[in-house]
Amino acid sequence: MNLNDIDYLVAVAEHRHVGRAAEALGLTQSALTRALARLEALAGLPLFERHPKGVMPTEAGLAFLRRARRIQLEYDDTLSELHQMKTGELGILRIGYSPSTDVERLMRVVRRLLMERPVARIHLSERLMHYLLADLDAGEVDAVVAPLPQPMPAQLEALRLCDDELQVMADAGHALRKRKALGVADIAAQPWLLPPADTRLRRELERLVQVSGLPPLTVRIEAAATNLNTMRLLCGTPLLTLSSSWSLEPLASIGLRPLPIALPALKRRIGWITRRHGHRSPLLERMEELLKDEFGTGRRRAS
């Protein structure tokens, strides 16, 4: 087995069709078919199921693919490291960050890095944690600042930066503000603006409602990312949403305030997440040092 074999395997899995994968790779279909047969003989198991419209990975194929993609990533990291050793270039640092983190402090650190390293280039990607971790695992970003997943995937490691507690946000004139005490049942009965159902924040809130024996939430608006303009949708409406503690000031400027209810299940830790065995460029190392300085974290690492 060689690196070309890995490329063949990944291409077929991505295209779900041997002919289209062969075209993308610049091979004949028969050559790619022979290569797949050789890989399946090596594995001792079928890696793909054939059907009239194409192919689908088998369970063994999916396991093989996970390892193959890791090998590709390690190989790319090695080439990147060798290139930097040869040229002395700082290269590009690709950082993903969740909109629910303290973006102002993160950008302050990025500015410091740019001032220190005039030739450095930074690629920033703002996405929800669920998608950022997939990007990190695929090598599309070098590091992520986001709420720490529990448990931490084995292939990732994290530096804990700070803690956060999500707040239930509502319009300043929301009817619930007239009540002296609020419980989960009160907020569960209201319409919501929330991230997609496959995100951790949404799952945790819905789990809290479920264990309280209440009907499912009514999600009127689903948004993959929330900025100030999105949050304006709550103004003058009964809609509720969740927001980080460090967003309270800008949200107050548009008339949104936290409701007086604590949700212990929605406390979380924010961290700097990297691939455990990924290439650590000088630029990434320096960014991590600056984050430690900004957040006063010393060398605490989250497991």
Side-chain angles (χ1 to χ4, degrees):
M1 181 174 176
N2 55 45
L3 290 172
N4 286 336
D5 291 335
I6 292 174
D7 291 339
Y8 300 161
L9 189 71
V10 172
V12 173
E14 289 177 348
H15 290 276
R16 295 290 198 265
H17 193 278
V18 176
R20 289 194 291 269
E23 183 178 354
L25 291 165
L27 296 173
T28 64
Q29 184 168 340
S30 59
L32 184 54
T33 299
R34 287 195 300 271
L36 287 179
R38 179 165 45 81
L39 286 172
E40 290 184 322
L42 179 65
L45 290 168
L47 300 179
F48 292 94
E49 293 177 350
R50 279 72 174 172
H51 55 80
K53 293 185 178 180
V55 297
M56 289 290 290
T58 62
E59 185 176 349
L62 290 172
F64 207 129
L65 279 164
R66 284 194 294 271
R67 297 289 185 179
R69 288 193 172 104
R70 294 303 307 170
I71 293 170
Q72 274 189 326
L73 198 54
E74 294 289 346
Y75 180 69
D76 290 343
D77 278 346
T78 300
L79 291 182
S80 175
E81 184 174 6
L82 291 174
H83 178 73
Q84 290 186 14
M85 290 171 65
K86 178 180 178 181
T87 64
E89 295 178 359
L90 288 175
I92 299 171
L93 180 61
R94 303 163 300 169
I95 302 173
Y97 63 94
S98 166
S100 63
T101 59
D102 193 341
V103 177
E104 183 177 344
R105 293 182 77 181
L106 173 61
M107 294 306 144
R108 186 157 62 228
V109 175
V110 171
R111 284 194 296 271
R112 286 182 62 187
L113 184 64
L114 290 173
M115 293 293 289
E116 284 188 9
R117 309 289 173 94
V119 299
R121 289 182 292 163
I122 311 293
H123 289 184
L124 297 172
S125 174
E126 182 181 23
R127 302 188 74 189
L128 293 175
M129 179 191 76
H130 177 79
Y131 309 114
L132 288 173
L133 294 183
D135 290 345
L136 180 60
D137 192 44
E140 295 177 11
V141 295
D142 302 309
V144 162
V145 177
L148 299 181
Q150 296 295 333
M152 179 68 64
Q155 70 274 21
L156 303 178
E157 63 180 1
L159 173 73
R160 176 183 167 191
L161 298 176
C162 58
D163 294 338
D164 183 33
E165 183 173 355
L166 293 170
Q167 307 286 326
V168 180
M169 304 300 297
D171 183 76
H174 199 287
L176 287 181
R177 298 191 188 281
K178 298 176 183 178
R179 301 187 187 181
K180 293 183 179 180
L182 294 177
V184 175
D186 298 307
I187 62 170
Q190 303 297 313
W192 285 80
L193 183 159
L194 288 172
D198 59 355
T199 57
R200 176 183 168 190
L201 184 152
R202 172 87 169 262
R203 289 198 305 267
E204 290 187 351
L205 180 61
E206 290 180 334
R207 189 180 303 117
L208 177 64
V209 170
Q210 183 181 27
V211 299
S212 300
L214 300 168
L217 294 174
T218 300
V219 180
R220 294 289 308 279
I221 302 174
E222 190 172 280
T226 53
N227 53 33
L228 209 57
N229 287 328
T230 307
M231 297 296 269
R232 290 181 193 276
L233 293 170
L234 274 70
C235 298
T237 76
L239 285 164
L240 304 181
T241 194
L242 295 172
S243 183
S244 300
S245 55
W246 41 71
S247 300
L248 298 185
E249 187 174 339
L251 291 179
S253 71
I254 62 172
L256 301 181
R257 306 278 194 282
L259 289 174
I261 178 172
L263 299 175
L266 298 179
K267 292 182 179 180
R268 59 207 187 138
R269 291 178 174 176
I270 308 299
W272 167 255
I273 310 170
T274 55
R275 297 194 300 276
R276 187 174 296 276
H277 301 297
H279 168 51
R280 297 182 64 84
S281 69
L283 201 57
L284 185 146
E285 293 281 7
R286 183 55 183 157
M287 181 69 186
E288 187 169 300
E289 291 172 4
L290 292 174
L291 284 169
K292 291 175 184 177
D293 182 58
E294 172 68 29
F295 288 91
T297 57
R299 292 192 171 274
R300 289 182 297 166
R301 285 204 167 266
S303 57

